[in-house]
Amino acid sequence: MAWLGFGDFGVFLDAATTDSVMTFSFYSEDCDADYCIVTGRGAETIEAPQDRPWGARAIYLKGPGGMTVEIEQVLQRS
């Protein structure tokens, strides 16, 4: 896997068993609030906000042309 970061925006290049058109990833200060905003504007959910094993809370949304949009919030470690 490779992560190409461009400020608050990034692209993952990931090995997988199936092809994906592209995943756009955005950082978030509040993943759940952003989820409410984008779904309130009509975004379709692939996966609702969940804590992920890599220390982030993330959402996956359907984008145009088979693209996936990820919104990710880094979780505070206690």
Side-chain angles (χ1 to χ4, degrees), residues 22-56:
M22 182 174 283
T23 298
F24 283 105
S25 181
F26 298 90
Y27 287 118
S28 173
E29 295 291 323
D30 187 337
C31 190
D32 293 276
D34 289 338
Y35 178 72
C36 289
I37 291 168
V38 298
T39 56
R41 294 179 180 170
E44 293 183 52
T45 302
I46 296 171
E47 292 183 34
Q50 296 179 45
D51 291 350
R52 308 298 173 159
W54 55 88

Side-chain angles (χ1 to χ4, degrees), residues 8-25:
D8 288 340
F9 170 79
V11 177
F12 277 107
L13 303 175
D14 198 2
T17 57
T18 59
D19 288 337
S20 170
V21 173
M22 182 174 283
T23 298
F24 283 105
S25 181

